[in-house]
Amino acid sequence: MTKGSASAVDKALDLLEAIARSTTPMKLSELAEEVGMLRPTAHRVLGELANRGWVFRYDGRYLPGPAALQVSHEAAAHSLAALCDPTMRVLSESTDMMVNLQVLESGGTRIIAALRPERLKMITRMLGDLLPPHRFAGPLALVAALEDNTRAPYLAMVEKSGYPMEGPTGFLADIAETQKTGFAVVHKRSQDIIGSVSRAVSSRKGSPLCALTVIGFDTDFDAKTTRMVEEHLLRATDEVQQLLTDHTSGKRPSDTGEEG
C-alpha cells in the first residue's frame, strides 16, 4: 500500500509511531517528511488526534498525548502481562527460578509481572520497580536490543551512575556480548547474591517490546545451569514473539471456533 492510498487508520498510526520514536518533540514538517505524507494531510490527521487526546501540541511541536500514555501503560501492565502469563509459568516451573516480564521506559525498565517459586521467597519480586540499565539482566537485554541512535540516553544513565563504561567488564562490553549471544547474563557482580539471565522480544521492525528474565541465587548459575536456563528462555521468548506477532497482525493463536 502506498502512502497516498493508506487508510485513515494507517495515517494516524504512522504519525503516532513517528512521535513515539522521536527523542525530541517534532514539528509538522518533520513529521510529514518522516512518514512520507503531505503536510495538509498530516496537519488534518494530527488535529483529529489532538482532539481525541492522542497527541499534544506545544509550541508548534507534537508530543504523545494523555490517551496514548494511558493506553501504553495499561497495555503493558495488563494486556501484555496476561498474554505472557502461561509462558512465564512454564518457564518458572521448568527452571525452578523466578521469572519476570519487563518493558522499556525512559528511566530504565519496569517489571510488570513476576512469578516466584517457594524456594526463592526471600528474593523480592520488585513488581512495579523501575530498574537501572546496568545492574540486572533484563534492562541490559532491552538496551542491547535498541538501535545505536536510541541507546544514548540509557548509556548516559549508566555513565552518570559511575558504573564503568569501557574495558572488558564495562557496560559497552556487556552490550556487545549480549548482542553476540542473544542473552544478557548478570552474575558474580559486586556483592549481589542474585544472578539473572534475560532475552528481549522484539517487534517485526526490530525494536524491543519486552524481556523475559530468569532470576535465582548467584550460586545457581554455574555453566551447566546457565545453558539450561538459556535453552528454556529461548523457547519462551520465541513463544511470546509468536503470540505478539499473531495478536498484532490480527491472527488468532488457535482456531477452535470458540469465543475468547
Side-chain angles (χ1 to χ4, degrees), residues 127-257:
L127 188 61
D129 284 4
L130 188 66
L131 307 183
H134 59 287
R135 285 194 57 200
F136 303 97
L140 173 59
L142 286 166
V143 171
L146 290 169
E147 296 289 339
D148 290 345
N149 60 341
T150 57
R151 195 181 295 134
Y154 301 99
L155 298 182
M157 271 187 259
V158 175
E159 191 168 18
K160 186 176 180 181
S161 76
Y163 189 83
M165 296 292 293
E166 307 290 343
T169 60
F171 190 65
L172 294 178
D174 290 343
I175 287 178
E177 182 66 16
T178 300
Q179 291 176 327
K180 177 183 176 181
T181 65
F183 297 95
V185 181
V186 174
H187 69 109
K188 297 182 179 178
R189 179 163 294 185
S190 185
Q191 301 299 314
D192 202 346
I193 64 168
I194 307 302
S196 51
V197 181
S198 186
R199 187 168 187 257
V201 175
S202 296
S203 71
R204 282 174 288 185
K205 293 184 178 180
S207 57
L209 298 171
C210 60
L212 286 176
T213 305
V214 177
I215 303 102
F217 292 120
D218 191 73
T219 52
D220 290 335
F221 290 97
D222 56 27
K224 181 179 178 180
T225 303
T226 300
R227 284 195 299 272
M228 178 273 291
V229 167
E230 289 177 350
E231 290 172 1
H232 287 293
L233 189 56
L234 178 62
R235 286 193 289 269
T237 50
D238 283 350
E239 183 174 328
V240 170
Q241 176 79 60
Q242 187 62 50
L243 282 170
L244 295 177
T245 301
D246 287 344
H247 279 258
T248 55
S249 64
K251 298 178 182 177
R252 297 175 59 181
S254 63
D255 189 6
T256 63

Side-chain angles (χ1 to χ4, degrees), residues 111-122:
I111 298 177
I112 62 171
L115 297 172
R116 180 181 57 194
E118 182 66 20
R119 78 176 185 91
L120 297 177
K121 63 182 180 180
M122 65 289 296

